[in-house]
């Protein structure tokens, strides 16, 4: 079964500092990994994904994520945090379904609340 | 705004009442997903449609829950005899079919319907 763990409920960083939001995963096959962000009273917004290829994936709003197969991790990073980055971040893995078909359901972590202090 | 829309945005009901939520996916997205998100948790998969066919239902979807997508466009999620444990944010997402029939890896989420059962 697929699963995702986000070990930190909260991450606090000062504006201008680099940020990392951690995610580890467990899958039975090749992982399809995603990061979503959720602002208050808003739906989930897609940030980036890893399907195959380069281990460093670049996404929206200056975010990037590093896929590490040996550590089964997919940490979200940003070189310089902004106050406006404060939000709830979710890591997710996609279910590849049974052979010949993909169901596409996402398995989400519990989320990490990122707070960026001015 | 051509994103996924959900109505109502908020619903307060008394225990034992029936409620129905609507989701309008992005036009021509053939896959539609329902998720439930409770406080402090990530979204959990409920059910999934490909066009009008409901292809999978989670064990979370008890017999009090029913979802439809009669014409392959909008979808409704009904909860009968609501219980306090049904209080949650109900999220809808849609996903397009790509050229060659492949499934997109990205799901586009709506703003959600927040249900409060008193």
């Amino acid at each position: 079964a697929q699963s995702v763990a986000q070990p930190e409920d909260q991450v606090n960083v000062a504006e201008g500092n680099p940020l990392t939001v951690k995610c580890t995963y467990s899958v039975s096959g090749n992982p399809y990994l995603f990061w979503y962000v959720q602002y208050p009273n808003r739906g989930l917004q897609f940030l980036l994904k890893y399907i195959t290829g380069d281990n460093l994936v670049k996404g929206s709003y200056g975010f990037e994520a590093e896929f590490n197969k040996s550590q089964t991790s997919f940490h979200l990073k940003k070189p310089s945090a902004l106050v406006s980055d404060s939000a709830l971040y979710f890591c997710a893995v996609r279910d590849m379904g049974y052979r010949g078909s993909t169901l596409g359901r996402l398995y989400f972590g519990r989320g990490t609340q990122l707070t960026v202090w001015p | 705004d051509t994103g996924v829309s959900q109505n109502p945005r908020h619903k307060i009901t008394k225990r034992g009442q029936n409620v129905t939520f609507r989701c309008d996916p992005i036009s021509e997205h053939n896959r539609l997903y329902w998720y439930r998100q409770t406080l402090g948790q990530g979204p959990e998969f409920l059910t999934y449609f490909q066009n009008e066919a409901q292809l999978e239902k989670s064990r979370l979807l008890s017999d009090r829950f029913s979802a439809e997508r009669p014409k392959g466009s909008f979808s409704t999620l009904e909860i009968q005899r609501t219980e306090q444990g049904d209080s949650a944010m109900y999220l809808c997402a849609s996903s397009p079919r790509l050229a060659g029939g492949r499934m997109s890896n990205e799901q586009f989420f709506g703003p959600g319907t927040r249900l409060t059962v008193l």
Side-chain angles (χ1 to χ4, degrees):
Chain A
Q2 329 287 10
S3 66
V4 168
Q6 293 181 243
E8 301 158 317
D9 291 336
Q10 291 190 356
V11 170
N12 301 312
V13 297
E15 188 174 32
N17 282 1
L19 70 87
T20 298
V21 182
K22 297 180 179 178
C23 171
T24 59
Y25 65 88
S26 174
V27 298
S28 54
N30 292 324
Y32 282 19
L33 295 158
F34 304 82
W35 276 101
Y36 283 84
V37 60
Q38 187 175 39
Y39 296 97
N41 300 316
R42 301 277 296 275
L44 295 170
Q45 296 179 34
F46 171 81
L47 276 181
L48 50 79
K49 65 185 177 187
Y50 172 83
I51 304 299
T52 186
D54 290 340
N55 290 341
L56 187 63
V57 178
K58 294 189 182 299
S60 306
Y61 312 118
F63 283 93
E64 56 189 27
E66 186 171 10
F67 171 67
N68 187 316
K69 187 173 182 179
S70 63
Q71 297 185 359
T72 62
S73 67
F74 188 56
H75 300 333
L76 182 69
K77 300 180 179 183
K78 187 173 184 180
S80 179
L82 299 172
V83 172
S84 57
D85 292 330
S86 298
L88 188 57
Y89 290 80
F90 290 97
C91 183
V93 62
R94 202 185 96 181
D95 190 335
M96 292 308 299
Y98 49 89
R99 187 180 61 183
S101 178
T102 57
L103 300 174
R105 72 153 83 174
L106 294 173
Y107 294 86
F108 287 87
R110 292 182 57 178
T112 298
Q113 179 66 49
L114 172 67
T115 301
V116 181
W117 300 98
Chain B
D1 187 350
T2 57
V4 177
S5 62
Q6 292 187 246
N7 289 288
R9 294 291 306 275
H10 303 273
K11 179 70 176 179
I12 299 175
T13 190
K14 294 182 179 179
R15 188 176 56 184
Q17 297 295 305
N18 299 342
V19 295
T20 300
F21 310 141
R22 175 176 171 132
C23 170
D24 286 88
I26 296 172
S27 178
E28 299 186 357
H29 279 198
N30 67 326
R31 286 181 167 84
L32 187 148
Y33 304 82
W34 284 99
Y35 293 84
R36 181 173 70 184
Q37 184 179 14
T38 54
L39 196 62
Q41 301 294 326
E44 297 174 292
F45 172 81
L46 291 179
T47 190
Y48 149 71
F49 290 85
Q50 180 168 310
N51 300 314
E52 67 276 9
Q54 188 174 19
L55 297 187
E56 188 184 9
K57 294 192 294 185
S58 163
R59 287 173 294 179
L60 294 175
L61 214 65
S62 75
D63 56 4
R64 296 185 297 106
F65 288 70
S66 62
E68 295 182 344
R69 195 184 183 196
K71 298 182 180 179
S73 57
F74 74 91
S75 175
T76 58
L77 177 67
E78 181 183 14
I79 308 175
Q80 296 181 330
R81 305 180 303 281
T82 53
E83 301 173 356
Q84 288 184 328
D86 297 332
S87 296
M89 176 77 84
Y90 290 84
L91 297 169
C92 176
S94 68
S95 187
R97 182 174 58 194
L98 303 177
R102 293 180 299 113
M103 190 179 81
S104 168
N105 292 304
E106 187 174 341
Q107 295 181 18
F108 297 81
F109 282 82
T113 294
R114 182 170 296 283
L115 172 67
T116 301
V117 181
L118 302 177

